[in-house]
C-alpha cells in the first residue's frame, strides 16, 4: 500500500519498493529505503519514515534531501505517531519516544509490543496492542510521562479487535479505524461505534481524516476497492 505525507508544498510517498519525494510532478526516488510502513510529519516540519532500514527522518526542503536513519532496525518496524514536541515509533518489540528537534531517542519502553496510532492534544499516546508486525489485539493508552501501556476497553468492540489508524478532529473527538467493528469514536466519557448498520460500506476501516470544511471521511475495504464515505450531521455515512 502507498503511504503519503505532505511537507509544506512537497510530498513524500512510500511503499514496498521505496520512497519518492519532491513537488507534485517532480518526484524523485530514493534508493535503499524500501518496505515503507508509515510516514508522519512532526510539528516542526520533519518527515519521519518507518521502513526496512529502520526509523528515518527527512528534513525539508526534501527535493534534494536524503533520509537519515536515526533508529536502525531491530526487528519489524511498525507505525509512527507524532504529537506536540514528540514522535513515537515501534521497532521490534520496543516502543520509542524520539525528540523531533534532536532526532535522538528520549526513552525506550522495552518489550512493549505495541504500535503507535495517535498522540492526542492531552499528550496521551494511543496504541494498537499486540505484537509488531502481526495482528494487533485491542486498544491501549500511555499517559504523558507514564511507562505502562494500559488496555482501554470500551466494551463496544471485541477485546481482540485490531485497531488500524487514529485521528483527532477539531472538536477533540478521537476516531479509530478497526478491522471488523467499523469506526470507534471517543469523546470524554462517551464512546460510540459507527459501522454498516449506520451506512458504512464495510466494517474493515483503513483510515479516518477530515476535509477542509470539517467533514469526516473514512476509507473502508468494500470488496476489492476502497471507498470513501463521509459522516453527515445525522450520523449516517454517505458514499462518495
Amino acid at each position: 500500500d502507498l503511504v503519503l505525507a505532505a511537507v509544506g508544498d512537497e510530498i513524500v510517498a512510500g511503499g514496498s519498493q521505496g520512497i519518492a519525494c519532491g513537488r507534485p510532478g517532480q518526484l524523485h526516488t530514493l534508493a535503499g529505503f524500501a518496505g515503507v510502513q508509515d510516514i508522519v510529519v512532526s510539528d516542526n516540519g520533519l518527515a519521519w519514515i518507518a521502513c526496512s532500514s529502520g526509523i528515518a527522518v527527512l528534513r525539508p526542503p526534501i527535493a534534494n534531501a536524503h533520509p537519515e536513519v536515526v533508529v536502525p532496525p531491530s526487528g519489524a518496524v511498525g507505525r509512527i505517531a507524532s504529537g506536540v514536541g514528540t514522535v513515537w515509533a515501534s521497532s521490534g518489540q520496543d516502543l520509542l519516544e524520539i525528540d523531533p528537534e534532536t532526532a535522538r531517542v528520549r526513552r525506550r519502553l522495552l518489550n512493549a509490543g505495541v504500535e503507535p496510532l495517535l498522540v492526542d492534544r492531552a499528550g496521551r499516546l494511543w496504541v494498537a496492542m499486540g505484537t509488531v508486525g502481526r495482528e494487533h489485539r485491542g486498544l491501549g493508552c500511555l499517559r504523558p510521562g507514564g511507562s505502562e501501556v494500559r488496555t482501554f476497553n470500551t466494551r463496544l468492540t471485541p477485546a481482540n479487535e485490531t485497531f488500524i489508524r487514529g485521528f483527532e478532529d477539531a472538536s477533540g473527538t478521537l476516531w479509530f479505524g478497526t478491522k471488523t467493528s467499523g469506526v470507534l469514536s471517543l469523546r470524554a466519557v462517551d464512546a460510540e461505534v459507527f459501522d454498516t448498520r449506520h451506512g458504512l460500506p464495510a466494517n474493515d476501516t483503513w483510515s479516518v481524516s477530515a476535509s477542509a470544511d470539517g467533514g469526516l471521511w473514512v476509507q473502508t475495504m468494500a470488496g476489492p476497492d476502497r471507498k470513501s464515505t463521509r459522516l453527515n450531521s445525522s450520523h449516517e455515512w454517505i458514499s462518495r
Side-chain angles (χ1 to χ4, degrees):
D1 292 334
L2 185 66
V3 184
L4 290 169
V7 184
D9 59 356
E10 300 177 293
I11 61 173
V12 183
S16 60
Q17 301 301 311
I19 300 171
C21 60
R23 297 179 184 276
Q26 300 176 345
L27 299 181
H28 69 279
T29 58
L30 299 174
F33 292 88
V36 176
Q37 298 295 316
D38 205 1
I39 303 174
V40 169
V41 179
S42 55
D43 59 354
N44 62 343
L46 305 186
W48 299 85
I49 304 163
C51 61
S52 58
S53 299
I55 306 300
V57 61
L58 191 61
R59 306 174 188 275
I62 63 175
N64 299 310
H66 194 271
E68 170 194 349
V69 176
V70 296
V71 180
S74 59
V77 175
R79 301 190 185 104
I80 304 174
S82 173
V84 177
T86 187
V87 172
W88 289 91
S90 56
S91 179
Q93 290 302 300
D94 299 343
L95 180 64
L96 313 175
E97 183 182 15
I98 302 171
D99 185 333
E101 296 296 333
T102 64
R104 294 183 178 180
V105 176
R106 282 180 180 151
R107 57 177 174 150
R108 184 186 297 260
L109 302 184
L110 300 176
N111 298 312
V114 300
E115 286 205 55
L117 295 175
L118 167 72
V119 180
D120 65 22
R121 294 173 194 166
R124 296 170 298 188
L125 172 66
W126 296 86
V127 301
M129 305 291 286
T131 304
V132 174
R134 301 180 182 176
E135 291 292 301
H136 309 121
R137 299 301 183 189
L139 181 66
C141 182
L142 177 67
R143 296 189 177 277
S147 58
E148 180 183 357
V149 178
R150 297 188 177 183
T151 300
F152 188 89
N153 186 4
T154 67
R155 303 185 185 278
L156 295 177
T157 58
N160 63 347
E161 180 60 272
T162 297
F163 286 81
I164 300 174
R165 290 286 179 181
F167 174 74
E168 183 175 14
D169 67 19
S171 71
T173 300
L174 307 181
W175 301 85
F176 296 96
T178 71
K179 190 171 183 179
T180 66
S181 301
V183 180
L184 173 66
S185 168
L186 299 178
R187 180 169 178 81
V189 296
D190 296 324
E192 195 169 2
V193 164
F194 298 96
D195 54 24
T196 53
R197 295 171 297 179
H198 303 87
L200 204 64
N203 287 335
D204 190 348
T205 55
W206 288 79
S207 66
V208 185
S209 59
S211 54
D213 62 359
L216 190 72
W217 292 82
V218 172
Q219 276 193 318
T220 62
M221 181 63 79
D225 301 316
R226 296 185 185 182
K227 296 183 178 179
S228 292
T229 57
R230 175 170 174 162
L231 182 66
N232 65 18
S233 58
S234 62
H235 286 185
E236 295 294 330
W237 294 97
I238 306 172
S239 295
R240 296 299 191 199

